[in-house]
Amino acid sequence: MRYFCDIVKQALIFSACLFLLASCTPRLHERGGASYYADKFKGRRTASGEKFRQYKLTAAHKTLPFGTKVKVKNLDNGRTVKVRINDRGPFVSGRIIDLSKKAARRLGIIQSGTVKVEISYKKKRK
Protein backbone atom coordinates (compact mmCIF):
# COMPACT_ATOMS: atom_id res chain seq x y z
CA MET A 1 0.00 0.00 0.00
CA ARG A 2 2.82 2.37 0.86
CA TYR A 3 4.40 1.72 -2.54
CA PHE A 4 1.12 2.69 -4.24
CA CYS A 5 0.92 5.92 -2.21
CA ASP A 6 4.48 6.84 -3.23
CA ILE A 7 3.65 6.30 -6.91
CA VAL A 8 0.50 8.45 -6.64
CA LYS A 9 2.45 11.17 -4.82
CA GLN A 10 5.15 11.19 -7.51
CA ALA A 11 2.53 11.27 -10.26
CA LEU A 12 0.83 14.27 -8.62
CA ILE A 13 4.11 16.13 -8.24
CA PHE A 14 5.02 15.38 -11.86
CA SER A 15 1.57 16.57 -13.05
CA ALA A 16 1.87 19.78 -11.03
CA CYS A 17 5.30 20.47 -12.53
CA LEU A 18 3.99 19.93 -16.06
CA PHE A 19 1.04 22.24 -15.38
CA LEU A 20 3.34 24.98 -14.08
CA LEU A 21 5.66 24.68 -17.06
CA ALA A 22 2.75 24.78 -19.50
CA SER A 23 1.28 27.86 -17.84
CA CYS A 24 4.59 29.71 -18.23
CA THR A 25 4.68 29.24 -21.98
CA PRO A 26 5.09 32.52 -23.86
CA ARG A 27 2.57 31.60 -26.61
CA LEU A 28 -0.64 33.61 -26.38
CA HIS A 29 -3.99 33.14 -28.14
CA GLU A 30 -6.92 35.42 -29.02
CA ARG A 31 -10.20 34.64 -30.75
CA GLY A 32 -12.41 37.05 -32.62
CA GLY A 33 -13.32 38.38 -36.02
CA ALA A 34 -10.98 39.07 -38.91
CA SER A 35 -11.47 41.16 -42.02
CA TYR A 36 -9.19 42.42 -44.76
CA TYR A 37 -8.17 45.80 -46.14
CA ALA A 38 -10.07 47.39 -48.99
CA ASP A 39 -8.12 48.18 -52.15
CA LYS A 40 -8.39 51.93 -51.46
CA PHE A 41 -5.67 51.60 -48.79
CA LYS A 42 -3.06 50.39 -51.30
CA GLY A 43 0.04 52.59 -51.12
CA ARG A 44 -1.07 54.54 -48.03
CA ARG A 45 1.19 54.73 -45.00
CA THR A 46 0.52 52.34 -42.15
CA ALA A 47 0.88 53.30 -38.49
CA SER A 48 4.40 51.85 -38.55
CA GLY A 49 5.33 54.24 -41.37
CA GLU A 50 5.70 51.70 -44.18
CA LYS A 51 3.58 51.68 -47.31
CA PHE A 52 0.65 49.28 -47.30
CA ARG A 53 0.83 46.59 -49.95
CA GLN A 54 -1.95 44.05 -50.53
CA TYR A 55 0.50 41.42 -51.82
CA LYS A 56 2.48 41.23 -48.55
CA LEU A 57 1.56 39.02 -45.59
CA THR A 58 0.85 41.82 -43.13
CA ALA A 59 -1.91 42.76 -40.70
CA ALA A 60 -3.23 45.36 -38.28
CA HIS A 61 -3.76 44.73 -34.56
CA LYS A 62 -4.80 47.20 -31.86
CA THR A 63 -2.03 46.53 -29.35
CA LEU A 64 0.66 44.10 -30.53
CA PRO A 65 4.08 45.63 -31.18
CA PHE A 66 4.99 46.33 -34.81
CA GLY A 67 7.00 43.46 -36.27
CA THR A 68 5.27 40.77 -34.18
CA LYS A 69 4.76 37.57 -36.18
CA VAL A 70 1.24 36.22 -35.75
CA LYS A 71 -0.25 32.89 -36.83
CA VAL A 72 -3.88 33.33 -37.92
CA LYS A 73 -6.20 30.31 -38.13
CA ASN A 74 -9.57 30.41 -39.90
CA LEU A 75 -11.89 28.58 -37.51
CA ASP A 76 -14.33 27.70 -40.32
CA ASN A 77 -11.93 25.81 -42.60
CA GLY A 78 -8.76 25.29 -40.52
CA ARG A 79 -6.45 27.18 -42.91
CA THR A 80 -3.57 29.13 -41.37
CA VAL A 81 -1.28 31.95 -42.42
CA LYS A 82 1.60 33.77 -40.74
CA VAL A 83 1.56 37.57 -40.92
CA ARG A 84 3.60 40.47 -39.57
CA ILE A 85 1.91 43.29 -37.64
CA ASN A 86 2.62 46.67 -39.27
CA ASP A 87 -0.54 48.72 -38.61
CA ARG A 88 -3.15 49.58 -35.98
CA GLY A 89 -6.77 48.46 -36.08
CA PRO A 90 -9.34 47.16 -36.71
CA PHE A 91 -11.64 49.64 -35.07
CA VAL A 92 -14.83 47.61 -35.48
CA SER A 93 -16.39 45.88 -32.48
CA GLY A 94 -15.67 42.15 -32.32
CA ARG A 95 -12.76 42.19 -34.75
CA ILE A 96 -9.23 41.52 -33.56
CA ILE A 97 -7.21 41.67 -36.79
CA ASP A 98 -7.27 43.22 -40.28
CA LEU A 99 -5.39 41.26 -42.93
CA SER A 100 -3.80 42.12 -46.26
CA LYS A 101 -5.59 40.67 -49.27
CA LYS A 102 -2.86 38.06 -49.80
CA ALA A 103 -3.31 36.78 -46.23
CA ALA A 104 -7.11 36.83 -46.60
CA ARG A 105 -6.86 34.84 -49.81
CA ARG A 106 -4.72 32.19 -48.12
CA LEU A 107 -7.30 31.89 -45.34
CA GLY A 108 -10.15 31.69 -47.86
CA ILE A 109 -12.11 34.73 -46.65
CA ILE A 110 -12.23 36.86 -49.81
CA GLN A 111 -15.85 35.88 -50.56
CA SER A 112 -17.23 36.29 -47.04
CA GLY A 113 -15.20 39.37 -46.11
CA THR A 114 -15.07 38.47 -42.42
CA VAL A 115 -14.51 35.26 -40.50
CA LYS A 116 -13.92 34.05 -36.96
CA VAL A 117 -10.24 33.38 -36.33
CA GLU A 118 -7.79 32.43 -33.64
CA ILE A 119 -4.47 34.25 -33.55
CA SER A 120 -1.42 33.02 -31.70
CA TYR A 121 1.89 34.69 -31.13
CA LYS A 122 4.95 34.47 -28.94
CA LYS A 123 5.20 36.92 -26.07
CA LYS A 124 8.31 39.05 -26.37
CA ARG A 125 10.81 38.61 -23.56
CA LYS A 126 11.84 41.69 -21.62
Side-chain angles (χ1 to χ4, degrees):
M1 183 68 170
R2 181 175 162 95
Y3 178 73
F4 179 73
C5 289
D6 287 342
I7 290 175
V8 170
K9 192 186 298 183
Q10 288 176 350
L12 287 173
I13 291 170
F14 181 73
S15 297
C17 290
L18 280 179
F19 177 76
L20 288 172
L21 285 174
S23 66
C24 294
T25 185
R27 188 156 283 284
L28 301 171
H29 301 274
E30 282 183 62
R31 282 185 176 209
S35 55
Y36 64 95
Y37 284 88
D39 288 331
K40 70 180 183 179
F41 294 104
K42 181 180 172 185
R44 291 189 189 179
R45 294 275 174 204
T46 63
S48 67
E50 63 186 85
K51 278 188 179 180
F52 175 69
R53 292 182 171 83
Q54 288 280 29
Y55 59 86
K56 297 281 188 179
L57 293 174
T58 59
H61 189 275
K62 291 177 190 140
T63 58
L64 287 175
F66 296 134
T68 302
K69 305 279 196 234
V70 177
K71 181 179 173 184
V72 184
K73 180 179 181 181
N74 181 336
L75 295 177
D76 290 341
N77 62 20
R79 291 185 189 180
T80 62
V81 66
K82 290 183 181 174
V83 295
R84 180 178 52 85
I85 302 298
N86 73 339
D87 202 5
R88 292 287 169 235
F91 300 106
V92 176
S93 179
R95 293 192 195 159
I96 59 170
I97 197 163
D98 264 339
L99 303 164
S100 65
K101 194 174 266 187
K102 182 175 184 174
R105 209 174 261 118
R106 288 204 182 166
L107 288 178
I109 68 170
I110 295 295
Q111 297 300 320
S112 62
T114 62
V115 72
K116 187 146 173 114
V117 296
E118 178 180 74
I119 65 172
S120 58
Y121 49 93
K122 288 185 179 177
K123 186 175 168 183
K124 297 227 180 195
R125 296 184 190 264
K126 293 182 179 181

